Amino acid sequence: MMQTPDPQLLFDLKVAEEQRIEPKDWMPEPYRRTLIRQISQHAHSEIVGMLPEGNWITRAPSLRRKAVLLAKVQDEAGHGLYLYSAAETLGVSREQMIADLHSGKAKYSSIFNYPTLSWADMGAIGWLVDGAAIMNQVPLCRTSYGPYARAMVRICKEESFHQRQGYEIMMTLAKGSQEQKAMAQDALNRWWWPVLMMFGPKDDESPNTAQSMQWKIKRFSNDELRQKFVDATVPQAEYLDLTIPDPDLKWNEARGHYDFGAINWEEFWEVVKGNGPCNRQRLEARQKAHAEGEWVREAAMAYAKKRVMSYEL
Amino acid sequence: MFDTKTYSSEVNQALCDYLLRLADSSLILGHRLSEWCGHGPILEQDIAMSNLALDLIGQARNWYQLAAQQAGLGQTEDDLAYLRDAPQYRNVLLVEQPNGDFGQTVMRQFLFDAYHYYLLQKLGQSADENIAAIAQKSLKEVTYHLKWSSEWVIRLGDGTEESQRRIQTALNNLWEFTGELSKPDQTDEILHAAGLVPDLRKIQADWQNRVLSVLTEATLQIPTRTWMQKGGKEGIHTEHLGYILAEMQFLQRAYPDCEW
Amino acid sequence: MEWPLWEVFIRSKQGLDHKHVGSLHAVDAQMAMENARDVYTRRREGVSIWVVESKYIHASNPDEQESFFDPADDKAYRHPTFYEVPDSITHI
């Protein structure tokens, strides 16, 4: 007599044994909901993230930089697409996810609510924002949900040039004229703290972390990743001869890590709530693109239907 | 880089001018398309348009590098792209027209692609090996561009009432910029006589056949207007180019002589 | 109405199988093919593409995992290592 195994037990066992969960497998409803929230949020971040850098494609200072920046922002569109696809395997449509973004129900990374004010911001974003994103994303290549993990493998592979091109811009500016160096320092000043906030709230204020780690959706806590990022980035800033805008930043021999100053969490929560410098513009730009594309999407669909009909006649 | 040939000063001057026409048209159209990045009607097409833009920017770089070397003045691709003002730009007027809605972008692309495709096909047989090599490489890219834009013209023309109205309007607005594409001037004549570039009149016939067949399939009305705008190839542009360059060249102009 | 979903399979080089790489939206097969080219082969990842509208993919049911796949576990005689052949015998 075969006994139907308890699906929850089977699920827990698979996760514990580092097997991947696949779309048609049984999964607890909260796991599915958490994944949809996280993956769609991640997808939205890629898409909204195209806007601040997209600002500078038409102003890139050389043809080489122009091509690189365009290819990079295009990659972000691709990454958004891979992630929407991964979320779609969980039974939610891209249309629904986009509607949730546009209504303000779904969130995206707060970092993209900061403005890009100079060319050096293209360097700082590549170096710091992509650097922070990579810290987050590399462990996600082993996340427990198969389609998400596979999308992340592809994304990480493609992203490897993003951080390097950013650092290259910073190096060129840091070695350049006084004005260029000042531009680079100014970008570092403005991006440093928002980038540290990208890792999310402190561990003791991050309600979803424990469950996500248990499900192996997440592998490291926010604070662990933040520390890892600071440790990796300080020597890179030193090489550029730029100053990280934190008087409390110093090497702690006992911990084997850099200590750093307090993050302004009030600012973080305000930006999350929609009060960042560019929240409104970013969302409006997405809403506008989608609304103005409506007739195009409809026409293509109408044409395809006519074609099918004419084949059938 | 290039193993350039030596020509008479008359031919060389015409050649440099011609190479700038090719480079400028590709750059300006690529620039226009890049304005779409992040704002496309659907993610898949946002990505497709960036691919077109990247191809065109890549082509522009090749032509600029060849132009710089052929001119022998020690200029770089960026000197040519960033330090010439509108009257020195040689792109055709069609490519500097604003993106408008997606229909206008698609129509502009199609009208240019159809010309670009036949032009590159012939340039691929140029007696100048450098021109032939760049043209052959570019032709692979532009073959796909023409497929992409033809399909979209047909989809929008034969899609919904709204899409047909929009793409027809785009066609009506852009038609007057198609005359200069294949109207030869002195530069074309000199280089054609030297066996370096094709006879534009032959391209005109191919262009017309292709354009008419796609527009017909798209159920669109061919504009009857015959008065055409011209001037791009001599540096007399529409008002739009000045704004494009103001934006594109701003950093190089504001911070001269810097590495970026 | 949302464009239909398509699954994309790419042959990365001649001689290899097509492999599932992801999905995308398109109105018809032709557009799906071109979108796949633009989205999934930007770095020369492929020499051939298949697209299949997702609704035509039928997947095995994970609930039948055991009856579907476990019975193959104890058929070791289907594998060459099941058979004893002396070391001195070659080309077999």
Side-chain angles (χ1 to χ4, degrees):
Chain A
M1 166 84 199
M2 282 254 289
Q3 212 177 355
T4 324
D6 177 4
Q8 177 75 54
L9 278 178
L10 211 61
F11 172 86
D12 292 341
L13 193 71
K14 274 192 206 159
V15 171
E17 286 179 346
E18 294 286 338
Q19 286 191 46
R20 296 286 173 265
I21 305 300
E22 294 295 344
K24 291 184 69 130
D25 293 347
W26 184 91
M27 60 187 86
E29 205 40 42
Y31 176 81
R32 181 193 300 273
R33 277 202 308 272
T34 300
L35 278 172
I36 290 176
R37 184 176 49 80
Q38 184 175 331
I39 302 173
S40 66
Q41 197 168 309
H42 196 161
H44 299 327
S45 300
E46 297 282 355
I47 300 308
V48 177
M50 296 171 74
L51 300 170
E53 286 175 287
N55 267 335
W56 282 88
I57 294 171
T58 53
R59 287 179 288 174
S62 75
L63 294 178
R64 177 173 176 268
R65 293 282 180 220
K66 195 183 192 68
V68 168
L69 184 59
L70 178 54
K72 180 192 185 241
V73 180
Q74 183 200 38
D75 270 352
E76 284 155 16
H79 299 170
L81 193 151
Y82 308 156
L83 289 162
Y84 283 130
S85 299
E88 283 174 280
T89 64
L90 292 159
V92 56
S93 70
R94 192 199 292 179
E95 205 174 30
Q96 182 60 51
M97 291 185 271
I98 289 175
D100 288 346
L101 171 69
H102 293 173
S103 73
K105 188 179 156 205
K107 299 283 176 223
Y108 56 88
S109 178
S110 287
I111 194 77
F112 303 117
N113 291 318
Y114 289 86
T116 48
L117 303 178
S118 81
W119 172 251
D121 290 18
M122 298 306 100
I125 289 181
W127 172 35
L128 302 172
V129 175
D130 290 308
I134 290 167
M135 292 276 166
N136 255 316
Q137 290 175 348
V138 168
L140 284 174
C141 294
R142 292 184 297 126
T143 195
S144 59
Y145 186 57
Y148 191 20
R150 290 191 287 275
M152 289 316 304
V153 168
R154 205 178 177 84
I155 290 171
C156 286
K157 225 193 252 172
E158 298 189 355
E159 285 242 333
S160 51
F161 96 80
H162 294 186
Q163 194 187 11
R164 296 173 75 107
Q165 66 88 35
Y167 196 69
E168 195 189 85
I169 291 174
M170 291 307 267
M171 265 193 320
T172 311
L173 295 175
K175 281 193 310 207
S177 68
Q178 280 304 314
E179 283 165 313
Q180 284 178 304
K181 188 163 184 190
M183 206 184 270
Q185 181 63 56
D186 167 64
L188 175 56
N189 294 349
R190 282 182 291 108
W191 288 95
W192 177 254
W193 291 106
V195 165
L196 292 192
M197 295 176 200
M198 271 178 78
F199 294 95
K202 279 184 288 190
D203 289 350
D204 46 19
E205 284 163 28
S206 176
N208 301 322
T209 293
Q211 179 63 79
S212 282
M213 287 182 71
Q214 196 196 328
W215 279 330
K216 296 192 180 168
I217 294 175
K218 217 170 152 162
R219 299 272 174 173
F220 297 98
S221 77
N222 296 352
D223 285 334
E224 281 170 337
L225 289 170
R226 191 166 12 242
Q227 182 69 59
K228 224 170 129 180
F229 173 78
V230 172
D231 291 346
T233 308
V234 172
Q236 295 165 358
E238 281 168 357
Y239 182 85
L240 295 173
D241 198 19
L242 296 178
T243 310
I244 290 177
D246 179 359
D248 298 325
L249 184 79
K250 66 168 191 296
W251 178 251
N252 182 327
E253 194 64 50
R255 287 205 310 128
H257 291 292
Y258 282 94
D259 290 337
F260 53 95
I263 290 171
N264 182 349
W265 291 111
E266 190 192 349
E267 176 180 325
F268 172 79
W269 290 114
E270 285 301 322
V271 180
V272 169
K273 271 191 278 175
N275 297 326
C278 299
N279 291 61
R280 203 164 347 104
Q281 291 98 298
R282 300 290 184 246
L283 211 52
E284 276 169 9
R286 287 312 314 158
Q287 289 161 339
K288 182 164 177 274
H290 191 72
E292 288 179 353
E294 174 97 45
W295 70 273
V296 178
R297 296 190 299 273
E298 258 175 26
M301 207 56 212
Y303 174 76
K305 276 190 184 151
K306 271 191 230 176
R307 265 281 188 87
V308 171
M309 283 190 313
S310 67
Y311 285 147
E312 282 169 356
L313 283 174
Chain B
M1 283 207 324
F2 295 104
D3 189 7
T4 49
K5 269 202 222 164
T6 311
Y7 298 104
S8 73
S9 72
E10 189 198 31
V11 169
N12 202 57
Q13 200 178 346
L15 182 55
C16 292
D17 196 45
Y18 193 90
L19 292 170
L20 286 178
R21 292 177 182 185
L22 292 169
D24 291 344
S25 285
S26 287
L27 176 62
I28 297 302
L29 186 56
H31 181 93
R32 277 295 193 213
L33 283 166
S34 79
E35 293 172 7
W36 272 103
C37 184
H39 307 276
I42 187 166
L43 216 35
E44 283 81 351
Q45 294 305 320
D46 203 303
I47 294 170
M49 282 193 280
S50 291
N51 274 346
L52 304 181
L54 284 165
D55 286 345
L56 289 163
I57 293 167
Q59 292 168 17
R61 294 181 66 184
N62 288 330
W63 293 124
Y64 281 134
Q65 287 164 14
L66 181 57
Q69 209 173 323
Q70 200 72 50
L73 300 172
Q75 290 165 303
T76 65
E77 56 176 34
D78 288 331
D79 293 339
L80 292 173
Y82 288 88
L83 301 177
R84 283 178 307 140
D85 199 356
Q88 281 92 50
Y89 259 74
R90 294 287 179 263
N91 61 281
V92 292
L93 301 176
L94 177 63
V95 297
E96 69 198 38
Q97 299 312 304
N99 286 341
D101 63 12
F102 183 75
Q104 170 138 330
T105 293
V106 158
M107 185 53 78
R108 182 187 63 199
Q109 190 68 34
F110 169 66
L111 295 171
F112 183 76
D113 287 344
Y115 155 78
H116 204 192
Y117 174 80
Y118 292 111
L119 179 65
L120 290 171
Q121 218 174 41
K122 299 280 191 312
L123 285 174
Q125 297 151 19
S126 170
D128 186 294
E129 285 171 16
N130 297 318
I131 295 179
I134 298 175
Q136 285 163 17
K137 179 174 177 290
S138 306
L139 180 63
K140 291 186 195 169
E141 298 167 342
V142 170
T143 303
Y144 185 78
H145 298 189
L146 179 57
K147 184 175 157 71
W148 181 87
S149 60
S150 302
E151 286 170 6
W152 269 110
V153 165
I154 294 167
R155 258 184 220 121
L156 296 179
D158 195 13
T160 61
E161 263 177 50
E162 182 180 6
S163 70
Q164 183 175 59
R165 178 177 55 74
R166 285 173 180 265
I167 191 92
Q168 181 70 56
T169 306
L171 175 60
N172 298 348
N173 291 342
L174 293 170
W175 191 249
E176 63 181 350
F177 298 110
T178 59
E180 105 180 306
L181 297 177
S182 44
K183 198 170 174 330
D185 66 1
Q186 209 191 351
T187 297
D188 295 299
E189 306 287 5
I190 294 169
L191 296 174
H192 178 53
L196 301 181
V197 310
D199 181 0
L200 276 184
R201 276 168 290 248
K202 292 221 176 85
I203 287 171
Q204 162 68 17
D206 289 334
W207 179 86
Q208 192 146 358
N209 284 340
R210 174 67 75 112
V211 167
L212 293 188
S213 110
V214 170
L215 293 182
T216 306
E217 195 179 342
T219 70
L220 294 175
Q221 304 290 321
I222 317 296
T224 48
R225 199 162 26 135
T226 51
W227 179 254
M228 293 286 168
Q229 305 298 330
K230 62 178 171 40
K233 293 201 244 182
E234 292 82 47
I236 302 166
H237 290 273
T238 60
E239 290 178 346
H240 306 294
L241 184 65
Y243 290 99
I244 294 177
L245 297 184
E247 191 171 339
M248 184 168 89
Q249 299 178 338
F250 134 74
L251 277 166
Q252 289 265 2
R253 302 286 193 182
Y255 306 93
D257 304 321
C258 288
E259 289 281 316
W260 297 96
Chain C
M1 203 193 103
E2 192 166 44
W3 289 1
L5 189 66
W6 298 71
E7 301 301 322
V8 181
F9 302 81
I10 291 182
R11 184 201 297 289
S12 57
K13 60 178 194 200
Q14 292 298 109
L16 297 183
D17 290 324
H18 285 78
K19 193 176 159 221
H20 183 243
V21 295
S23 58
L24 48 75
H25 290 271
V27 293
D28 55 25
Q30 185 175 331
M31 193 203 268
M33 189 64 80
E34 289 162 22
N35 288 352
R37 178 259 191 200
D38 281 322
V39 172
Y40 288 103
T41 67
R42 299 198 304 284
R43 289 173 171 80
R44 220 355 176 146
E45 291 93 336
V47 295
S48 163
I49 299 174
W50 288 349
V51 289
V52 185
E53 198 174 338
S54 308
K55 68 177 181 192
Y56 294 118
I57 302 243
H58 298 272
S60 60
N61 184 348
D63 294 343
E64 294 174 334
Q65 184 88 4
E66 292 180 359
S67 62
F68 246 58
F69 302 111
D70 289 359
D73 283 348
D74 65 353
K75 312 289 195 297
Y77 45 80
R78 288 199 170 106
H79 300 280
T81 47
F82 181 75
Y83 302 93
E84 292 280 346
V85 176
D87 289 347
S88 58
I89 302 297
T90 57
H91 303 297
I92 189 165

